[in-house]
Amino acid sequence: MIARTARKAAKPAARAKPAKTTKAVAARKKAVKARTMVKADQPALAKPISGEDIVKVLELGKGAHSIELKLSVPLTGHRATIKSIGLDPVEAQPRQAFFFDTPDLALNRAGVVVRARRIQGGDADTVVKLRPVDPSAIDPDLRRSAAFKVEVDVMPGGFVCSASFKGVCSGKEVLDVSSGAMPLRKLFSKEQRAFYDAHAPAGITMDKLVVLGPTFLLKAKHQPKDFGRPITIEMWLYPDGSRILEISTKCLPKEGFQVGAEFKSYLAARGIVLGADQAPKTKTALEFFSAGLKAEGRPRRERVTQA
């Protein structure tokens, strides 16, 4: 042992590596963890809308009544967003959204949405919606109805044109349907039922639909001091504690390009993330309650507990 040590000592000494102290290692691990956390907190980005897509939006807009520009805000930015736009939370109106579909969401796959919504004060509204649609293929007779609207929704990463047949009812009627005391078809007008029958998958009549809901939400209309048109803020609160915050504004199709640029500038000036992946409110609600029915093992009309 001593001889070998001596021979090694005769050679040029290798440059010693600095010893890794416990504190240095700990500090490095902490830095790596911090970088990982920051990366994880950053919202996933949506694919930008291409120039070709913008042309398609403008073309669809020619046959639409309006364009809605909307943005869902990442969860980490909800509180800061509400504060930055100057919204007073007490302006928000509570609502309950009830969707109707088959347990396996056959309507949703076919692009059909059936919804009723209770509004504070005892009122309610209904809608039968179809999406996507080609405005040029819509029956002119439908367009003559004041309750029928064609709209193009534009959000980061995509767009969709939809046709909606709206109606009104009472909040009590919605509760009666949800409890099974009243048939679902009676909640909708004759015109809405005809629109549904024309576009629902074959064999799926309204009496085969189940209640998916309710989802509680808060909705407020707000007029910013430094933006030239009203904006709508919706907070959807799901039973599992998750939530979606959406900001939107509407304009005439001919105003779409200009208002889109102004809306984008307004949001960016308040530090609101513009390119994050979007969280669809309706799809989230449908999938949540559909999963609940599967977990129960059988479809049923759920009785509503007052929120």
Side-chain angles (χ1 to χ4, degrees), residues 46-266:
K47 182 181 178 181
I49 294 181
S50 66
E52 182 180 350
D53 288 337
I54 293 176
V55 172
K56 290 180 180 178
V57 169
L58 296 176
E59 187 64 29
L60 289 171
K62 294 178 181 178
H65 294 88
S66 60
I67 290 180
E68 183 173 23
L69 307 167
K70 55 176 61 178
L71 172 84
S72 62
V73 180
L75 181 63
T76 54
H78 286 188
R79 184 175 181 180
T81 296
I82 292 174
K83 183 178 180 180
S84 67
I85 63 179
L87 175 67
D88 185 346
V90 300
E91 296 178 20
Q93 181 186 65
R95 301 186 177 196
Q96 277 186 320
F98 297 77
F99 293 96
F100 305 92
D101 205 325
T102 62
D104 62 349
L105 305 183
L107 290 187
N108 183 55
R109 291 195 301 275
V112 179
V113 176
V114 179
R115 188 201 70 208
R117 186 171 53 186
R118 293 178 65 218
I119 304 171
Q120 186 180 37
D123 294 330
D125 58 26
T126 61
V127 68
V128 177
K129 181 179 292 188
L130 181 66
R131 60 188 179 193
V133 298
D134 178 0
S136 64
I138 293 175
D139 187 341
D141 288 339
L142 287 174
R143 289 183 175 274
R144 295 190 183 98
S145 173
F148 183 79
K149 300 294 181 185
V150 178
E151 186 169 80
V152 181
D153 292 340
V154 183
M155 69 290 293
F159 60 91
V160 64
C161 184
S162 62
S164 302
F165 222 123
K166 300 182 179 181
V168 294
C169 60
S170 70
K172 183 180 183 304
E173 288 175 319
V174 176
L175 291 179
D176 286 345
V177 167
S178 68
S179 67
M182 187 174 90
L184 176 61
R185 292 185 69 85
K186 289 189 175 182
L187 203 60
F188 297 88
S189 68
K190 180 180 178 181
E191 292 77 14
Q192 285 178 302
R193 295 196 300 268
F195 186 63
Y196 172 87
D197 293 339
H199 298 287
I204 302 181
T205 55
M206 278 193 173
D207 61 344
K208 294 183 179 179
L209 306 183
V210 297
V211 180
L212 298 174
T215 300
F216 182 75
L217 64 120
L218 295 168
K219 182 174 182 177
K221 290 189 176 181
H222 177 65
Q223 179 58 67
K225 295 180 179 179
D226 47 357
F227 185 61
R229 61 185 59 241
I231 61 175
T232 299
I233 300 95
E234 292 189 29
M235 174 75 82
W236 286 54
L237 305 165
Y238 300 92
D240 63 352
S242 60
R243 63 182 188 265
I244 292 176
L245 177 65
E246 181 186 89
I247 306 174
S248 64
T249 191
K250 291 188 179 186
C251 63
L252 295 174
K254 64 181 181 181
E255 302 172 320
F257 194 80
Q258 178 181 348
V259 174
E262 293 172 354
F263 192 44
K264 181 178 180 180
S265 177
Y266 167 77

